[in-house]
PDB file of all heavy atoms in Angstrom:
ATOM      1  N   VAL A 224     -43.765 126.356 -30.159  1.00 88.00           N
ATOM      2  CA  VAL A 224     -42.625 127.193 -30.480  1.00 88.00           C
ATOM      3  C   VAL A 224     -42.470 128.279 -29.416  1.00 88.00           C
ATOM      4  O   VAL A 224     -41.354 128.564 -28.927  1.00 88.00           O
ATOM      5  CB  VAL A 224     -42.730 127.813 -31.856  1.00 88.00           C
ATOM      6  CG1 VAL A 224     -41.672 128.889 -32.086  1.00 88.00           C
ATOM      7  CG2 VAL A 224     -42.624 126.770 -32.969  1.00 88.00           C
ATOM      8  N   GLU A 225     -43.566 128.923 -29.050  1.00 87.00           N
ATOM      9  CA  GLU A 225     -43.515 130.004 -28.032  1.00 87.00           C
ATOM     10  C   GLU A 225     -43.024 129.457 -26.699  1.00 87.00           C
ATOM     11  O   GLU A 225     -42.196 130.074 -25.999  1.00 87.00           O
ATOM     12  CB  GLU A 225     -44.898 130.651 -27.890  1.00 87.00           C
ATOM     13  CG  GLU A 225     -45.260 131.484 -29.112  1.00 87.00           C
ATOM     14  CD  GLU A 225     -46.690 132.031 -29.036  1.00 87.00           C
ATOM     15  OE1 GLU A 225     -47.388 131.643 -28.049  1.00 87.00           O
ATOM     16  OE2 GLU A 225     -47.100 132.777 -29.905  1.00 87.00           O
ATOM     17  N   GLU A 226     -43.503 128.294 -26.331  1.00 87.00           N
ATOM     18  CA  GLU A 226     -43.106 127.705 -24.987  1.00 87.00           C
ATOM     19  C   GLU A 226     -41.644 127.353 -25.001  1.00 87.00           C
ATOM     20  O   GLU A 226     -40.903 127.571 -24.030  1.00 87.00           O
ATOM     21  CB  GLU A 226     -43.978 126.466 -24.740  1.00 87.00           C
ATOM     22  CG  GLU A 226     -45.417 126.762 -24.399  1.00 87.00           C
ATOM     23  CD  GLU A 226     -46.234 125.496 -24.227  1.00 87.00           C
ATOM     24  OE1 GLU A 226     -45.685 124.373 -24.446  1.00 87.00           O
ATOM     25  OE2 GLU A 226     -47.428 125.615 -23.861  1.00 87.00           O
ATOM     26  N   ILE A 227     -41.169 126.763 -26.112  1.00 87.00           N
ATOM     27  CA  ILE A 227     -39.757 126.355 -26.132  1.00 87.00           C
ATOM     28  C   ILE A 227     -38.811 127.548 -26.251  1.00 87.00           C
ATOM     29  O   ILE A 227     -37.761 127.581 -25.648  1.00 87.00           O
ATOM     30  CB  ILE A 227     -39.535 125.396 -27.354  1.00 87.00           C
ATOM     31  CG1 ILE A 227     -40.290 124.099 -27.081  1.00 87.00           C
ATOM     32  CG2 ILE A 227     -38.050 125.107 -27.568  1.00 87.00           C
ATOM     33  CD1 ILE A 227     -40.366 123.155 -28.272  1.00 87.00           C
ATOM     34  N   LYS A 228     -39.193 128.578 -26.972  1.00 86.00           N
ATOM     35  CA  LYS A 228     -38.372 129.780 -27.066  1.00 86.00           C
ATOM     36  C   LYS A 228     -38.291 130.534 -25.742  1.00 86.00           C
ATOM     37  O   LYS A 228     -37.345 131.243 -25.538  1.00 86.00           O
ATOM     38  CB  LYS A 228     -38.987 130.749 -28.146  1.00 86.00           C
ATOM     39  CG  LYS A 228     -38.658 130.301 -29.586  1.00 86.00           C
ATOM     40  CD  LYS A 228     -39.119 131.336 -30.552  1.00 86.00           C
ATOM     41  CE  LYS A 228     -38.682 130.983 -31.988  1.00 86.00           C
ATOM     42  NZ  LYS A 228     -39.141 131.981 -32.974  1.00 86.00           N
ATOM     43  N   ALA A 229     -39.277 130.298 -24.875  1.00 85.00           N
ATOM     44  CA  ALA A 229     -39.289 130.972 -23.586  1.00 85.00           C
ATOM     45  C   ALA A 229     -38.280 130.332 -22.588  1.00 85.00           C
ATOM     46  O   ALA A 229     -38.091 130.859 -21.529  1.00 85.00           O
ATOM     47  CB  ALA A 229     -40.685 130.960 -22.981  1.00 85.00           C
ATOM     48  N   THR A 230     -37.723 129.184 -22.965  1.00 86.00           N
ATOM     49  CA  THR A 230     -36.768 128.494 -22.111  1.00 86.00           C
ATOM     50  C   THR A 230     -35.366 129.064 -22.298  1.00 86.00           C
ATOM     51  O   THR A 230     -35.124 129.897 -23.195  1.00 86.00           O
ATOM     52  CB  THR A 230     -36.809 126.993 -22.390  1.00 86.00           C
ATOM     53  OG1 THR A 230     -36.241 126.784 -23.713  1.00 86.00           O
ATOM     54  CG2 THR A 230     -38.185 126.437 -22.324  1.00 86.00           C
ATOM     55  N   ASP A 231     -34.462 128.572 -21.519  1.00 80.00           N
ATOM     56  CA  ASP A 231     -33.055 129.053 -21.599  1.00 80.00           C
ATOM     57  C   ASP A 231     -32.218 128.078 -22.475  1.00 80.00           C
ATOM     58  O   ASP A 231     -30.977 128.151 -22.447  1.00 80.00           O
ATOM     59  CB  ASP A 231     -32.396 129.125 -20.160  1.00 80.00           C
ATOM     60  CG  ASP A 231     -33.068 130.173 -19.337  1.00 80.00           C
ATOM     61  OD1 ASP A 231     -33.528 131.212 -19.907  1.00 80.00           O
ATOM     62  OD2 ASP A 231     -33.108 129.997 -18.123  1.00 80.00           O
ATOM     63  N   ALA A 232     -32.902 127.218 -23.245  1.00 82.00           N
ATOM     64  CA  ALA A 232     -32.132 126.268 -24.040  1.00 82.00           C
ATOM     65  C   ALA A 232     -31.378 126.944 -25.166  1.00 82.00           C
ATOM     66  O   ALA A 232     -31.754 128.041 -25.571  1.00 82.00           O
ATOM     67  CB  ALA A 232     -33.130 125.248 -24.634  1.00 82.00           C
ATOM     68  N   SER A 233     -30.305 126.289 -25.568  1.00 87.00           N
ATOM     69  CA  SER A 233     -29.531 126.780 -26.732  1.00 87.00           C
ATOM     70  C   SER A 233     -30.346 126.652 -28.028  1.00 87.00           C
ATOM     71  O   SER A 233     -31.291 125.908 -28.098  1.00 87.00           O
ATOM     72  CB  SER A 233     -28.233 125.981 -26.834  1.00 87.00           C
ATOM     73  OG  SER A 233     -28.514 124.642 -27.199  1.00 87.00           O
ATOM     74  N   PRO A 234     -29.935 127.411 -29.039  1.00 84.00           N
ATOM     75  CA  PRO A 234     -30.607 127.315 -30.347  1.00 84.00           C
ATOM     76  C   PRO A 234     -30.708 125.846 -30.855  1.00 84.00           C
ATOM     77  O   PRO A 234     -31.675 125.445 -31.393  1.00 84.00           O
ATOM     78  CB  PRO A 234     -29.790 128.199 -31.268  1.00 84.00           C
ATOM     79  CG  PRO A 234     -29.208 129.230 -30.347  1.00 84.00           C
ATOM     80  CD  PRO A 234     -28.928 128.506 -29.082  1.00 84.00           C
ATOM     81  N   GLN A 235     -29.599 125.134 -30.668  1.00 87.00           N
ATOM     82  CA  GLN A 235     -29.566 123.773 -31.135  1.00 87.00           C
ATOM     83  C   GLN A 235     -30.560 122.890 -30.354  1.00 87.00           C
ATOM     84  O   GLN A 235     -31.289 122.096 -30.915  1.00 87.00           O
ATOM     85  CB  GLN A 235     -28.137 123.181 -31.003  1.00 87.00           C
ATOM     86  CG  GLN A 235     -28.024 121.762 -31.587  1.00 87.00           C
ATOM     87  CD  GLN A 235     -26.609 121.257 -31.488  1.00 87.00           C
ATOM     88  OE1 GLN A 235     -25.710 121.850 -30.858  1.00 87.00           O
ATOM     89  NE2 GLN A 235     -26.347 120.087 -32.091  1.00 87.00           N
ATOM     90  N   GLU A 236     -30.585 123.104 -29.050  1.00 87.00           N
ATOM     91  CA  GLU A 236     -31.517 122.324 -28.192  1.00 87.00           C
ATOM     92  C   GLU A 236     -33.000 122.704 -28.526  1.00 87.00           C
ATOM     93  O   GLU A 236     -33.881 121.854 -28.548  1.00 87.00           O
ATOM     94  CB  GLU A 236     -31.230 122.586 -26.740  1.00 87.00           C
ATOM     95  CG  GLU A 236     -29.904 121.928 -26.276  1.00 87.00           C
ATOM     96  CD  GLU A 236     -29.571 122.356 -24.857  1.00 87.00           C
ATOM     97  OE1 GLU A 236     -30.022 123.460 -24.431  1.00 87.00           O
ATOM     98  OE2 GLU A 236     -28.830 121.642 -24.179  1.00 87.00           O
ATOM     99  N   MET A 237     -33.191 124.026 -28.802  1.00 86.00           N
ATOM    100  CA  MET A 237     -34.515 124.500 -29.206  1.00 86.00           C
ATOM    101  C   MET A 237     -35.026 123.803 -30.469  1.00 86.00           C
ATOM    102  O   MET A 237     -36.196 123.384 -30.610  1.00 86.00           O
ATOM    103  CB  MET A 237     -34.550 125.983 -29.351  1.00 86.00           C
ATOM    104  CG  MET A 237     -34.570 126.749 -28.055  1.00 86.00           C
ATOM    105  SD  MET A 237     -34.748 128.553 -28.372  1.00 86.00           S
ATOM    106  CE  MET A 237     -34.594 129.219 -26.682  1.00 86.00           C
ATOM    107  N   GLY A 238     -34.102 123.724 -31.425  1.00 88.00           N
ATOM    108  CA  GLY A 238     -34.448 123.096 -32.692  1.00 88.00           C
ATOM    109  C   GLY A 238     -34.879 121.656 -32.517  1.00 88.00           C
ATOM    110  O   GLY A 238     -35.882 121.202 -33.094  1.00 88.00           O
ATOM    111  N   LYS A 239     -34.116 120.904 -31.702  1.00 89.00           N
ATOM    112  CA  LYS A 239     -34.476 119.523 -31.419  1.00 89.00           C
ATOM    113  C   LYS A 239     -35.780 119.406 -30.669  1.00 89.00           C
ATOM    114  O   LYS A 239     -36.602 118.533 -30.974  1.00 89.00           O
ATOM    115  CB  LYS A 239     -33.311 118.862 -30.620  1.00 89.00           C
ATOM    116  CG  LYS A 239     -32.030 118.652 -31.374  1.00 89.00           C
ATOM    117  CD  LYS A 239     -31.006 117.947 -30.490  1.00 89.00           C
ATOM    118  CE  LYS A 239     -29.688 117.701 -31.254  1.00 89.00           C
ATOM    119  NZ  LYS A 239     -28.653 117.035 -30.372  1.00 89.00           N
ATOM    120  N   ALA A 240     -35.977 120.294 -29.711  1.00 89.00           N
ATOM    121  CA  ALA A 240     -37.218 120.270 -28.890  1.00 89.00           C
ATOM    122  C   ALA A 240     -38.450 120.591 -29.794  1.00 89.00           C
ATOM    123  O   ALA A 240     -39.483 119.942 -29.631  1.00 89.00           O
ATOM    124  CB  ALA A 240     -37.144 121.271 -27.772  1.00 89.00           C
ATOM    125  N   ILE A 241     -38.258 121.568 -30.650  1.00 87.00           N
ATOM    126  CA  ILE A 241     -39.380 121.918 -31.563  1.00 87.00           C
ATOM    127  C   ILE A 241     -39.705 120.756 -32.484  1.00 87.00           C
ATOM    128  O   ILE A 241     -40.920 120.413 -32.745  1.00 87.00           O
ATOM    129  CB  ILE A 241     -39.070 123.223 -32.347  1.00 87.00           C
ATOM    130  CG1 ILE A 241     -39.056 124.401 -31.434  1.00 87.00           C
ATOM    131  CG2 ILE A 241     -40.070 123.415 -33.476  1.00 87.00           C
ATOM    132  CD1 ILE A 241     -38.562 125.700 -32.063  1.00 87.00           C
ATOM    133  N   ALA A 242     -38.706 120.142 -33.055  1.00 89.00           N
ATOM    134  CA  ALA A 242     -38.907 118.992 -33.965  1.00 89.00           C
ATOM    135  C   ALA A 242     -39.637 117.862 -33.237  1.00 89.00           C
ATOM    136  O   ALA A 242     -40.512 117.256 -33.823  1.00 89.00           O
ATOM    137  CB  ALA A 242     -37.566 118.497 -34.533  1.00 89.00           C
ATOM    138  N   LEU A 243     -39.196 117.600 -31.974  1.00 90.00           N
ATOM    139  CA  LEU A 243     -39.838 116.569 -31.226  1.00 90.00           C
ATOM    140  C   LEU A 243     -41.300 116.896 -30.956  1.00 90.00           C
ATOM    141  O   LEU A 243     -42.185 116.072 -31.078  1.00 90.00           O
ATOM    142  CB  LEU A 243     -39.090 116.370 -29.876  1.00 90.00           C
ATOM    143  CG  LEU A 243     -39.720 115.321 -28.942  1.00 90.00           C
ATOM    144  CD1 LEU A 243     -39.697 113.924 -29.596  1.00 90.00           C
ATOM    145  CD2 LEU A 243     -38.886 115.263 -27.637  1.00 90.00           C
ATOM    146  N   ARG A 244     -41.601 118.184 -30.555  1.00 89.00           N
ATOM    147  CA  ARG A 244     -42.970 118.561 -30.275  1.00 89.00           C
ATOM    148  C   ARG A 244     -43.839 118.504 -31.530  1.00 89.00           C
ATOM    149  O   ARG A 244     -45.002 118.122 -31.441  1.00 89.00           O
ATOM    150  CB  ARG A 244     -42.979 119.953 -29.688  1.00 89.00           C
ATOM    151  CG  ARG A 244     -42.475 120.074 -28.235  1.00 89.00           C
ATOM    152  CD  ARG A 244     -43.479 119.466 -27.252  1.00 89.00           C
ATOM    153  NE  ARG A 244     -44.666 120.309 -27.187  1.00 89.00           N
ATOM    154  CZ  ARG A 244     -44.789 121.374 -26.413  1.00 89.00           C
ATOM    155  NH1 ARG A 244     -43.755 121.786 -25.702  1.00 89.00           N
ATOM    156  NH2 ARG A 244     -45.944 122.019 -26.387  1.00 89.00           N
ATOM    157  N   VAL A 245     -43.285 118.886 -32.683  1.00 87.00           N
ATOM    158  CA  VAL A 245     -44.015 118.824 -33.921  1.00 87.00           C
ATOM    159  C   VAL A 245     -44.427 117.390 -34.228  1.00 87.00           C
ATOM    160  O   VAL A 245     -45.557 117.066 -34.612  1.00 87.00           O
ATOM    161  CB  VAL A 245     -43.182 119.414 -35.077  1.00 87.00           C
ATOM    162  CG1 VAL A 245     -43.834 119.010 -36.407  1.00 87.00           C
ATOM    163  CG2 VAL A 245     -43.150 120.925 -34.934  1.00 87.00           C
ATOM    164  N   GLU A 246     -43.477 116.457 -33.990  1.00 88.00           N
ATOM    165  CA  GLU A 246     -43.735 115.047 -34.218  1.00 88.00           C
ATOM    166  C   GLU A 246     -44.835 114.536 -33.260  1.00 88.00           C
ATOM    167  O   GLU A 246     -45.724 113.793 -33.675  1.00 88.00           O
ATOM    168  CB  GLU A 246     -42.494 114.236 -34.050  1.00 88.00           C
ATOM    169  CG  GLU A 246     -42.667 112.732 -34.359  1.00 88.00           C
ATOM    170  CD  GLU A 246     -41.358 111.982 -34.212  1.00 88.00           C
ATOM    171  OE1 GLU A 246     -40.291 112.615 -34.077  1.00 88.00           O
ATOM    172  OE2 GLU A 246     -41.434 110.723 -34.294  1.00 88.00           O
ATOM    173  N   GLN A 247     -44.736 114.970 -32.003  1.00 90.00           N
ATOM    174  CA  GLN A 247     -45.785 114.578 -31.017  1.00 90.00           C
ATOM    175  C   GLN A 247     -47.124 115.124 -31.340  1.00 90.00           C
ATOM    176  O   GLN A 247     -48.150 114.454 -31.168  1.00 90.00           O
ATOM    177  CB  GLN A 247     -45.305 115.048 -29.610  1.00 90.00           C
ATOM    178  CG  GLN A 247     -44.077 114.306 -29.102  1.00 90.00           C
ATOM    179  CD  GLN A 247     -43.559 114.972 -27.792  1.00 90.00           C
ATOM    180  OE1 GLN A 247     -43.829 116.160 -27.494  1.00 90.00           O
ATOM    181  NE2 GLN A 247     -42.839 114.191 -27.019  1.00 90.00           N
ATOM    182  N   ILE A 248     -47.151 116.361 -31.837  1.00 88.00           N
ATOM    183  CA  ILE A 248     -48.431 116.967 -32.228  1.00 88.00           C
ATOM    184  C   ILE A 248     -49.066 116.214 -33.391  1.00 88.00           C
ATOM    185  O   ILE A 248     -50.233 115.941 -33.442  1.00 88.00           O
ATOM    186  CB  ILE A 248     -48.250 118.437 -32.584  1.00 88.00           C
ATOM    187  CG1 ILE A 248     -47.925 119.241 -31.329  1.00 88.00           C
ATOM    188  CG2 ILE A 248     -49.463 119.033 -33.307  1.00 88.00           C
ATOM    189  CD1 ILE A 248     -47.453 120.672 -31.588  1.00 88.00           C
ATOM    190  N   SER A 249     -48.202 115.807 -34.342  1.00 86.00           N
ATOM    191  CA  SER A 249     -48.711 115.063 -35.502  1.00 86.00           C
ATOM    192  C   SER A 249     -49.275 113.711 -35.081  1.00 86.00           C
ATOM    193  O   SER A 249     -50.355 113.294 -35.525  1.00 86.00           O
ATOM    194  CB  SER A 249     -47.557 114.801 -36.529  1.00 86.00           C
ATOM    195  OG  SER A 249     -47.146 116.051 -37.111  1.00 86.00           O
ATOM    196  N   ASP A 250     -48.592 113.056 -34.162  1.00 85.00           N
ATOM    197  CA  ASP A 250     -49.039 111.761 -33.658  1.00 85.00           C
ATOM    198  C   ASP A 250     -50.410 111.943 -32.954  1.00 85.00           C
ATOM    199  O   ASP A 250     -51.302 111.111 -33.068  1.00 85.00           O
ATOM    200  CB  ASP A 250     -48.066 111.134 -32.726  1.00 85.00           C
ATOM    201  CG  ASP A 250     -46.788 110.647 -33.423  1.00 85.00           C
ATOM    202  OD1 ASP A 250     -46.832 110.481 -34.675  1.00 85.00           O
ATOM    203  OD2 ASP A 250     -45.756 110.441 -32.736  1.00 85.00           O
ATOM    204  N   TYR A 251     -50.484 113.044 -32.162  1.00 86.00           N
ATOM    205  CA  TYR A 251     -51.699 113.294 -31.396  1.00 86.00           C
ATOM    206  C   TYR A 251     -52.889 113.587 -32.380  1.00 86.00           C
ATOM    207  O   TYR A 251     -53.987 113.024 -32.163  1.00 86.00           O
ATOM    208  CB  TYR A 251     -51.447 114.523 -30.487  1.00 86.00           C
ATOM    209  CG  TYR A 251     -52.723 115.114 -29.940  1.00 86.00           C
ATOM    210  CD1 TYR A 251     -53.417 114.492 -28.896  1.00 86.00           C
ATOM    211  CD2 TYR A 251     -53.234 116.334 -30.472  1.00 86.00           C
ATOM    212  CE1 TYR A 251     -54.603 115.094 -28.392  1.00 86.00           C
ATOM    213  CE2 TYR A 251     -54.434 116.880 -29.976  1.00 86.00           C
ATOM    214  CZ  TYR A 251     -55.078 116.260 -28.933  1.00 86.00           C
ATOM    215  OH  TYR A 251     -56.240 116.786 -28.432  1.00 86.00           O
ATOM    216  N   LEU A 252     -52.653 114.361 -33.373  1.00 87.00           N
ATOM    217  CA  LEU A 252     -53.769 114.697 -34.297  1.00 87.00           C
ATOM    218  C   LEU A 252     -54.083 113.449 -35.156  1.00 87.00           C
ATOM    219  O   LEU A 252     -55.266 113.268 -35.477  1.00 87.00           O
ATOM    220  CB  LEU A 252     -53.279 115.871 -35.215  1.00 87.00           C
ATOM    221  CG  LEU A 252     -53.186 117.210 -34.502  1.00 87.00           C
ATOM    222  CD1 LEU A 252     -52.602 118.232 -35.455  1.00 87.00           C
ATOM    223  CD2 LEU A 252     -54.564 117.697 -33.999  1.00 87.00           C
ATOM    224  N   ASP A 253     -53.101 112.663 -35.540  1.00 84.00           N
ATOM    225  CA  ASP A 253     -53.362 111.492 -36.358  1.00 84.00           C
ATOM    226  C   ASP A 253     -54.227 110.480 -35.633  1.00 84.00           C
ATOM    227  O   ASP A 253     -54.946 109.682 -36.337  1.00 84.00           O
ATOM    228  CB  ASP A 253     -52.060 110.830 -36.753  1.00 84.00           C
ATOM    229  CG  ASP A 253     -51.348 111.667 -37.810  1.00 84.00           C
ATOM    230  OD1 ASP A 253     -51.968 112.636 -38.381  1.00 84.00           O
ATOM    231  OD2 ASP A 253     -50.130 111.352 -38.124  1.00 84.00           O
ATOM    232  N   LYS A 254     -54.197 110.457 -34.304  1.00 86.00           N
ATOM    233  CA  LYS A 254     -55.058 109.541 -33.562  1.00 86.00           C
ATOM    234  C   LYS A 254     -56.557 109.788 -33.819  1.00 86.00           C
ATOM    235  O   LYS A 254     -57.403 108.922 -33.730  1.00 86.00           O
ATOM    236  CB  LYS A 254     -54.748 109.574 -32.110  1.00 86.00           C
ATOM    237  CG  LYS A 254     -53.398 108.957 -31.685  1.00 86.00           C
ATOM    238  CD  LYS A 254     -53.180 108.975 -30.202  1.00 86.00           C
ATOM    239  CE  LYS A 254     -51.804 108.477 -29.835  1.00 86.00           C
ATOM    240  NZ  LYS A 254     -51.508 107.129 -30.385  1.00 86.00           N
ATOM    241  N   ALA A 255     -56.854 111.088 -34.130  1.00 82.00           N
ATOM    242  CA  ALA A 255     -58.281 111.380 -34.437  1.00 82.00           C
ATOM    243  C   ALA A 255     -58.713 110.799 -35.717  1.00 82.00           C
ATOM    244  O   ALA A 255     -59.962 110.728 -36.003  1.00 82.00           O
ATOM    245  CB  ALA A 255     -58.439 112.930 -34.435  1.00 82.00           C
TER     246      ALA A 255
END
């Protein structure tokens, strides 16, 4: 969230980026 908020993306783009990163994090953790 901190990394994405630090960008110049619009609120809508930030929301999509955060959702994508959350999904990627879940996939990464689930591999364990």
Side-chain angles (χ1 to χ4, degrees):
V224 170
E225 290 175 354
E226 289 176 356
I227 292 170
K228 283 186 174 180
T230 67
D231 295 329
S233 67
Q235 185 177 7
E236 290 173 334
M237 284 186 184
K239 290 182 179 180
I241 289 172
L243 178 60
R244 287 287 292 278
V245 166
E246 183 177 352
Q247 291 172 338
I248 290 168
S249 294
D250 291 341
Y251 166 75
L252 291 173
D253 287 349
K254 290 185 183 304

